[in-house]
Amino acid sequence: MKKSLLTIRTAFSLSLAISLTLNILFIIIFIYGRDGVMPSDGRPPQPVFSVYNAIINILSNFFLSFILYILNFQLLKNNDFAGKKKLLIIIFSSLGVTFLLSYLFSTFHILVSDFPPKHPERLFHGGFVRDFFISVIVMFSAQLIHLQHKKQSMELENQTLLSENMRTRYEVLKNQVDPHFLFNTLNTLATLVKMDQNKAVDYIHELSNVFRYTLQNTETVTLTEELKFTGSFFNLMKMRYGDNLKLEEKIDNRYMDSLVIPLSIQTLIENAIKHNVVSNKTPLTIYVTTHEDNTLSVSNFVQAKREKEPGEGIGLTNLAERYKLKWGKKITIYNSDNMFTVNIPLIPA
C-alpha cells in the first residue's frame, strides 16, 4: 500500500510554502529596503518594513497553516464518519480554529508592536480576512491531497488484485500441464511394456529424469535447460517409435540464455506426435529452430491422423495463455496444407 501523503512532513512543507508566499512582499522590501512614512496623526515616522513584524507575520501564517493541515489530515483519515457529515465537521472545525488563532495572533501583535494601531479593530478584521483565506487554501489543498491519495491507493489495490488474479490463473494453468503430461507418458509406458519390457525399464529411468524437471517450482527456465529436458523427453518417445521419429535442431548459441516457459518445447513436440502419423511408411521429423526475431519454432510436415486421439486439447491453448500471463507475449501458429509451425517468443535474460 502506498504511504499516505497526509503526514506531518507534508503539513510542514505546505505551511512553509503558504507562509512564504503570503509574505513575499515583506521579503522583497527586506531585500531592497524602503523609507518610512509619516502618520497623519502627528506621531513619529513609522517604517514601512520591520524585520520583527515580518518574522511575526511569517510565523503566525505558518503556525496557523500547520495547525489547520494537521487538523484536516486527522479528520480526513478518521473513518468514524464520512460524506457530507465529515465535510461539515472539517469546515466548521477549521473555521473555529482559524477564528480563535486569528484573534490570539492579532492580540499578540498589538501587545508587542512598537507602534500600536489607532484602530485595533481594523487589525482584527484584516487579520481574520487573511487567515480565513489561508483556511480556505488549506481545506481545499488537503481535500485534493486526500483524493489523490485515495486514487493512487485504489489503482495500487486494483493492480495488486490483478497481479494476484494473474498469478492464480498462471498456477492453475501450470498445474494443468503436469497431469496432462503425466497422463500421456503413462499411456506411452503402458504401450511400451507390452512391446518390449527391456525398453520399458530404460523408459522408467529416463522418465524419472524427466519428472525431476517437471516437478521443479519455477515459472521460467533458460533455453539451455528446456532443450536438455526436451532431449530426455524425446529419448522416451524414441524408445516407442524408434527410427520412425526424428528431431532436427538448429539452435543459435546466442539464444541459449533466453527465457522460456517450462515444458514449452516438450508440449509442442508432444502435440506433433499426437496429431500426426508416425510409422515406417510415414516417419515424422520435427524441426526445432531459432530465428533472428527472438523466436523459436517447432514445425513438422503435416501427416494428419484419420481419427483424432482422445484428449482435452489443452496443450496449445494452455501454452498461449501462460505466455500471455507471464510476459504479455503471444505464440503464433501457422497451419498450411504441408507444414504446421508454432513460434514461441524467446525472452532475453
Side-chain angles (χ1 to χ4, degrees):
M1 183 63 68
K2 187 177 181 63
K3 187 177 180 180
S4 175
L5 296 175
L6 308 180
T7 63
I8 293 179
R9 182 176 181 180
T10 304
F12 182 89
S13 300
L14 291 175
S15 299
L16 184 61
I18 290 175
S19 178
L20 293 177
T21 301
L22 291 178
N23 291 279
I24 192 170
L25 179 61
F26 284 105
I27 298 173
I28 292 174
I29 295 176
F30 175 75
I31 295 175
Y32 293 100
R34 188 170 174 182
D35 296 332
V37 295
M38 181 69 70
S40 58
D41 57 5
R43 288 184 299 167
Q46 299 181 22
V48 172
F49 174 78
S50 144
V51 174
Y52 180 76
N53 288 335
I55 293 175
I56 292 296
N57 282 326
I58 291 175
L59 289 178
S60 61
N61 293 158
F62 171 81
F63 188 72
L64 174 64
S65 302
F66 184 75
I67 293 298
L68 289 176
Y69 271 120
I70 295 298
L71 174 64
N72 276 256
F73 288 173
Q74 291 300 318
L75 292 174
L76 287 170
K77 290 189 291 186
N78 193 320
N79 296 321
D80 293 337
F81 43 84
K84 292 182 179 179
K85 182 178 180 181
K86 175 180 282 192
L87 182 60
L88 290 175
I89 292 175
I90 289 174
I91 292 175
F92 285 112
S93 298
S94 297
L95 292 179
V97 171
T98 300
F99 180 81
L100 177 62
L101 292 181
S102 181
Y103 177 80
L104 293 176
F105 292 152
S106 298
T107 301
F108 178 77
H109 184 72
I110 293 172
L111 293 176
V112 301
S113 176
D114 294 331
F115 302 96
K118 186 176 182 180
H119 302 285
E121 68 277 1
R122 296 179 182 176
L123 180 63
F124 282 110
H125 181 267
F128 181 73
V129 171
R130 178 201 61 207
D131 294 340
F132 174 79
F133 179 67
I134 292 176
S135 178
V136 172
I137 293 176
V138 170
M139 285 189 287
F140 183 72
S141 59
Q143 290 288 337
L144 288 179
I145 293 172
H146 180 59
L147 291 175
Q148 180 65 20
H149 175 68
K150 284 181 64 177
K151 180 181 178 181
Q152 292 176 348
S153 298
M154 290 180 64
E155 290 177 352
L156 181 60
E157 184 176 355
N158 289 336
Q159 291 175 359
T160 301
L161 291 175
L162 179 61
S163 177
E164 289 296 330
N165 180 53
M166 292 179 65
R167 187 178 295 109
T168 301
R169 289 173 61 193
Y170 183 87
E171 288 300 321
V172 170
L173 289 169
K174 180 176 178 293
N175 293 334
Q176 192 179 33
V177 169
D178 295 344
H180 179 65
F181 174 66
L182 176 61
F183 176 79
N184 284 278
T185 52
L186 290 180
N187 276 346
T188 301
L189 178 59
T191 302
L192 194 58
V193 168
K194 298 177 183 178
M195 296 172 55
D196 190 330
Q197 293 187 1
N198 291 329
K199 283 187 177 181
V201 174
D202 294 335
Y203 186 93
I204 291 172
H205 287 301
E206 198 70 65
L207 185 61
S208 66
N209 294 329
V210 168
F211 272 103
R212 288 193 188 97
Y213 182 85
T214 61
L215 292 175
Q216 63 181 336
N217 186 24
T218 181
E219 295 183 0
T220 61
V221 293
T222 64
L223 181 58
T224 299
E225 294 171 311
E226 181 68 7
L227 288 174
K228 183 178 179 181
F229 161 73
T230 301
S232 297
F233 170 78
F234 196 77
N235 287 337
L236 298 179
M237 298 299 100
K238 285 283 289 183
M239 291 182 188
R240 176 178 177 182
Y241 295 102
D243 293 334
N244 298 326
L245 182 64
K246 297 180 181 180
L247 179 67
E248 292 191 9
E249 296 180 348
K250 294 182 180 179
I251 307 297
D252 192 325
N253 288 332
R254 60 179 168 165
Y255 297 113
M256 297 302 285
D257 291 330
S258 299
L259 300 178
V260 296
I261 297 293
L263 307 180
S264 297
I265 301 175
Q266 175 270 330
T267 298
L268 299 177
I269 290 176
E270 184 181 20
N271 186 70
I273 297 172
K274 178 180 179 181
H275 296 289
N276 291 274
V277 176
V278 185
S279 65
N280 291 329
K281 293 183 179 180
T282 53
L284 179 68
T285 301
I286 301 174
Y287 305 91
V288 179
T289 310
T290 55
H291 304 280
E292 294 292 331
D293 59 348
N294 289 322
T295 60
L296 178 142
S297 65
V298 177
S299 57
N300 61 274
F301 288 101
V302 176
Q303 302 169 183
K305 294 179 179 179
R306 292 182 180 180
E307 296 182 2
K308 292 184 177 180
E309 289 193 6
E312 299 178 6
I314 64 172
L316 286 178
T317 303
N318 186 306
L319 188 62
E321 184 72 3
R322 293 173 73 192
Y323 271 98
K324 180 181 178 181
L325 289 175
K326 182 62 182 176
W327 290 302
K329 299 287 187 178
K330 295 181 179 180
I331 68 172
T332 54
I333 301 174
Y334 303 96
N335 190 7
S336 65
D337 293 336
N338 298 321
M339 183 70 73
F340 183 84
T341 303
V342 179
N343 284 3
I344 61 174
L346 297 175
I347 311 300

